[in-house]
PDB file of all heavy atoms in Angstrom:
ATOM      1  N   ASP A1625     -36.866  -5.319  39.129  1.00 90.00           N
ATOM      2  CA  ASP A1625     -36.729  -3.765  39.140  1.00 90.00           C
ATOM      3  C   ASP A1625     -35.429  -3.317  38.341  1.00 90.00           C
ATOM      4  O   ASP A1625     -34.995  -2.146  38.465  1.00 90.00           O
ATOM      5  CB  ASP A1625     -36.620  -3.366  40.570  1.00 90.00           C
ATOM      6  CG  ASP A1625     -37.913  -3.507  41.300  1.00 90.00           C
ATOM      7  OD1 ASP A1625     -38.983  -3.366  40.585  1.00 90.00           O
ATOM      8  OD2 ASP A1625     -37.954  -3.656  42.479  1.00 90.00           O
ATOM      9  N   ILE A1626     -34.691  -4.184  37.628  1.00 93.00           N
ATOM     10  CA  ILE A1626     -33.554  -3.816  36.893  1.00 93.00           C
ATOM     11  C   ILE A1626     -33.997  -2.856  35.816  1.00 93.00           C
ATOM     12  O   ILE A1626     -34.892  -3.141  35.009  1.00 93.00           O
ATOM     13  CB  ILE A1626     -32.867  -5.079  36.320  1.00 93.00           C
ATOM     14  CG1 ILE A1626     -32.264  -5.871  37.403  1.00 93.00           C
ATOM     15  CG2 ILE A1626     -31.824  -4.722  35.300  1.00 93.00           C
ATOM     16  CD1 ILE A1626     -31.704  -7.237  37.007  1.00 93.00           C
ATOM     17  N   ASP A1627     -33.284  -1.740  35.660  1.00 91.00           N
ATOM     18  CA  ASP A1627     -33.519  -0.855  34.493  1.00 91.00           C
ATOM     19  C   ASP A1627     -33.244  -1.365  33.201  1.00 91.00           C
ATOM     20  O   ASP A1627     -32.096  -1.733  32.957  1.00 91.00           O
ATOM     21  CB  ASP A1627     -32.763   0.347  34.905  1.00 91.00           C
ATOM     22  CG  ASP A1627     -32.996   1.528  33.882  1.00 91.00           C
ATOM     23  OD1 ASP A1627     -33.703   1.287  32.914  1.00 91.00           O
ATOM     24  OD2 ASP A1627     -32.422   2.585  33.982  1.00 91.00           O
ATOM     25  N   PRO A1628     -34.088  -1.479  32.348  1.00 90.00           N
ATOM     26  CA  PRO A1628     -33.827  -2.041  30.987  1.00 90.00           C
ATOM     27  C   PRO A1628     -32.740  -1.333  30.314  1.00 90.00           C
ATOM     28  O   PRO A1628     -31.989  -1.873  29.452  1.00 90.00           O
ATOM     29  CB  PRO A1628     -35.137  -2.006  30.241  1.00 90.00           C
ATOM     30  CG  PRO A1628     -36.201  -1.931  31.352  1.00 90.00           C
ATOM     31  CD  PRO A1628     -35.567  -1.186  32.484  1.00 90.00           C
ATOM     32  N   ALA A1629     -32.699  -0.034  30.478  1.00 88.00           N
ATOM     33  CA  ALA A1629     -31.630   0.777  29.875  1.00 88.00           C
ATOM     34  C   ALA A1629     -30.244   0.274  30.142  1.00 88.00           C
ATOM     35  O   ALA A1629     -29.314   0.408  29.377  1.00 88.00           O
ATOM     36  CB  ALA A1629     -31.760   2.251  30.246  1.00 88.00           C
ATOM     37  N   LEU A1630     -30.052  -0.201  31.382  1.00 90.00           N
ATOM     38  CA  LEU A1630     -28.733  -0.683  31.696  1.00 90.00           C
ATOM     39  C   LEU A1630     -28.320  -1.948  30.853  1.00 90.00           C
ATOM     40  O   LEU A1630     -27.168  -2.101  30.522  1.00 90.00           O
ATOM     41  CB  LEU A1630     -28.675  -1.125  33.220  1.00 90.00           C
ATOM     42  CG  LEU A1630     -28.759   0.067  34.200  1.00 90.00           C
ATOM     43  CD1 LEU A1630     -28.853  -0.456  35.585  1.00 90.00           C
ATOM     44  CD2 LEU A1630     -27.506   1.032  34.126  1.00 90.00           C
ATOM     45  N   ILE A1631     -29.312  -2.775  30.600  1.00 92.00           N
ATOM     46  CA  ILE A1631     -29.107  -3.992  29.879  1.00 92.00           C
ATOM     47  C   ILE A1631     -28.696  -3.620  28.473  1.00 92.00           C
ATOM     48  O   ILE A1631     -27.798  -4.106  27.748  1.00 92.00           O
ATOM     49  CB  ILE A1631     -30.360  -4.906  29.899  1.00 92.00           C
ATOM     50  CG1 ILE A1631     -30.578  -5.374  31.347  1.00 92.00           C
ATOM     51  CG2 ILE A1631     -30.161  -6.121  28.968  1.00 92.00           C
ATOM     52  CD1 ILE A1631     -31.881  -6.090  31.594  1.00 92.00           C
ATOM     53  N   ARG A1632     -29.433  -2.566  27.839  1.00 90.00           N
ATOM     54  CA  ARG A1632     -29.043  -2.106  26.524  1.00 90.00           C
ATOM     55  C   ARG A1632     -27.627  -1.720  26.438  1.00 90.00           C
ATOM     56  O   ARG A1632     -26.929  -1.800  25.311  1.00 90.00           O
ATOM     57  CB  ARG A1632     -30.032  -1.127  26.041  1.00 90.00           C
ATOM     58  CG  ARG A1632     -31.385  -1.519  25.779  1.00 90.00           C
ATOM     59  CD  ARG A1632     -32.114  -0.328  24.855  1.00 90.00           C
ATOM     60  NE  ARG A1632     -32.246   0.828  25.671  1.00 90.00           N
ATOM     61  CZ  ARG A1632     -33.394   1.107  26.420  1.00 90.00           C
ATOM     62  NH1 ARG A1632     -34.264   0.185  26.510  1.00 90.00           N
ATOM     63  NH2 ARG A1632     -33.450   2.258  27.096  1.00 90.00           N
ATOM     64  N   ASN A1633     -27.000  -1.170  27.529  1.00 90.00           N
ATOM     65  CA  ASN A1633     -25.730  -0.545  27.456  1.00 90.00           C
ATOM     66  C   ASN A1633     -24.593  -1.634  27.676  1.00 90.00           C
ATOM     67  O   ASN A1633     -23.461  -1.287  27.475  1.00 90.00           O
ATOM     68  CB  ASN A1633     -25.591   0.505  28.609  1.00 90.00           C
ATOM     69  CG  ASN A1633     -26.364   1.701  28.398  1.00 90.00           C
ATOM     70  OD1 ASN A1633     -26.604   2.017  27.181  1.00 90.00           O
ATOM     71  ND2 ASN A1633     -26.635   2.530  29.274  1.00 90.00           N
ATOM     72  N   VAL A1634     -24.945  -2.790  28.031  1.00 91.00           N
ATOM     73  CA  VAL A1634     -23.918  -3.821  28.227  1.00 91.00           C
ATOM     74  C   VAL A1634     -22.882  -4.116  27.058  1.00 91.00           C
ATOM     75  O   VAL A1634     -21.661  -4.169  27.327  1.00 91.00           O
ATOM     76  CB  VAL A1634     -24.563  -5.104  28.788  1.00 91.00           C
ATOM     77  CG1 VAL A1634     -23.580  -6.152  28.804  1.00 91.00           C
ATOM     78  CG2 VAL A1634     -25.096  -4.841  30.176  1.00 91.00           C
ATOM     79  N   PRO A1635     -23.325  -4.308  25.831  1.00 91.00           N
ATOM     80  CA  PRO A1635     -22.429  -4.660  24.860  1.00 91.00           C
ATOM     81  C   PRO A1635     -21.349  -3.608  24.601  1.00 91.00           C
ATOM     82  O   PRO A1635     -21.531  -2.498  24.563  1.00 91.00           O
ATOM     83  CB  PRO A1635     -23.358  -4.910  23.642  1.00 91.00           C
ATOM     84  CG  PRO A1635     -24.697  -5.052  24.064  1.00 91.00           C
ATOM     85  CD  PRO A1635     -24.657  -4.282  25.304  1.00 91.00           C
ATOM     86  N   SER A1636     -20.066  -4.119  24.555  1.00 91.00           N
ATOM     87  CA  SER A1636     -18.975  -3.295  24.182  1.00 91.00           C
ATOM     88  C   SER A1636     -19.067  -2.612  22.901  1.00 91.00           C
ATOM     89  O   SER A1636     -18.520  -1.578  22.672  1.00 91.00           O
ATOM     90  CB  SER A1636     -17.597  -4.144  24.346  1.00 91.00           C
ATOM     91  OG  SER A1636     -17.420  -4.553  25.600  1.00 91.00           O
ATOM     92  N   ALA A1637     -19.771  -3.298  21.926  1.00 94.00           N
ATOM     93  CA  ALA A1637     -20.054  -2.623  20.676  1.00 94.00           C
ATOM     94  C   ALA A1637     -20.627  -1.209  20.730  1.00 94.00           C
ATOM     95  O   ALA A1637     -20.552  -0.413  19.774  1.00 94.00           O
ATOM     96  CB  ALA A1637     -20.855  -3.507  19.774  1.00 94.00           C
ATOM     97  N   ARG A1638     -21.307  -0.946  21.890  1.00 95.00           N
ATOM     98  CA  ARG A1638     -21.880   0.374  22.043  1.00 95.00           C
ATOM     99  C   ARG A1638     -20.871   1.474  21.906  1.00 95.00           C
ATOM    100  O   ARG A1638     -21.339   2.650  21.555  1.00 95.00           O
ATOM    101  CB  ARG A1638     -22.727   0.443  23.436  1.00 95.00           C
ATOM    102  CG  ARG A1638     -23.729  -0.488  23.580  1.00 95.00           C
ATOM    103  CD  ARG A1638     -25.024   0.079  23.105  1.00 95.00           C
ATOM    104  NE  ARG A1638     -25.620   1.196  23.975  1.00 95.00           N
ATOM    105  CZ  ARG A1638     -26.609   1.872  23.719  1.00 95.00           C
ATOM    106  NH1 ARG A1638     -27.365   1.611  22.575  1.00 95.00           N
ATOM    107  NH2 ARG A1638     -27.007   2.812  24.511  1.00 95.00           N
ATOM    108  N   ILE A1639     -19.628   1.321  22.257  1.00 97.00           N
ATOM    109  CA  ILE A1639     -18.621   2.326  22.224  1.00 97.00           C
ATOM    110  C   ILE A1639     -18.439   2.873  20.864  1.00 97.00           C
ATOM    111  O   ILE A1639     -18.541   4.080  20.706  1.00 97.00           O
ATOM    112  CB  ILE A1639     -17.362   1.774  23.017  1.00 97.00           C
ATOM    113  CG1 ILE A1639     -17.582   1.391  24.425  1.00 97.00           C
ATOM    114  CG2 ILE A1639     -16.273   2.841  22.726  1.00 97.00           C
ATOM    115  CD1 ILE A1639     -16.549   0.909  25.116  1.00 97.00           C
ATOM    116  N   SER A1640     -18.207   2.036  19.778  1.00 98.00           N
ATOM    117  CA  SER A1640     -18.042   2.561  18.529  1.00 98.00           C
ATOM    118  C   SER A1640     -19.386   2.987  17.943  1.00 98.00           C
ATOM    119  O   SER A1640     -19.401   3.926  17.154  1.00 98.00           O
ATOM    120  CB  SER A1640     -17.358   1.520  17.610  1.00 98.00           C
ATOM    121  OG  SER A1640     -18.109   0.284  17.684  1.00 98.00           O
ATOM    122  N   GLU A1641     -20.479   2.295  18.298  1.00 97.00           N
ATOM    123  CA  GLU A1641     -21.829   2.726  17.875  1.00 97.00           C
ATOM    124  C   GLU A1641     -22.090   4.203  18.349  1.00 97.00           C
ATOM    125  O   GLU A1641     -22.734   4.861  17.631  1.00 97.00           O
ATOM    126  CB  GLU A1641     -22.806   1.791  18.363  1.00 97.00           C
ATOM    127  CG  GLU A1641     -22.763   0.441  17.763  1.00 97.00           C
ATOM    128  CD  GLU A1641     -23.777  -0.552  18.419  1.00 97.00           C
ATOM    129  OE1 GLU A1641     -24.505  -0.155  19.309  1.00 97.00           O
ATOM    130  OE2 GLU A1641     -23.710  -1.775  18.155  1.00 97.00           O
ATOM    131  N   ALA A1642     -21.674   4.504  19.607  1.00 98.00           N
ATOM    132  CA  ALA A1642     -21.903   5.813  20.054  1.00 98.00           C
ATOM    133  C   ALA A1642     -21.207   6.941  19.195  1.00 98.00           C
ATOM    134  O   ALA A1642     -21.716   7.952  18.855  1.00 98.00           O
ATOM    135  CB  ALA A1642     -21.451   5.844  21.497  1.00 98.00           C
TER     136      ALA A1642
END
Side-chain angles (χ1 to χ4, degrees):
D1625 289 331
I1626 294 173
D1627 181 357
L1630 291 174
I1631 298 172
R1632 285 197 298 270
N1633 285 341
V1634 168
S1636 294
R1638 293 276 286 179
I1639 293 177
S1640 54
E1641 290 172 5

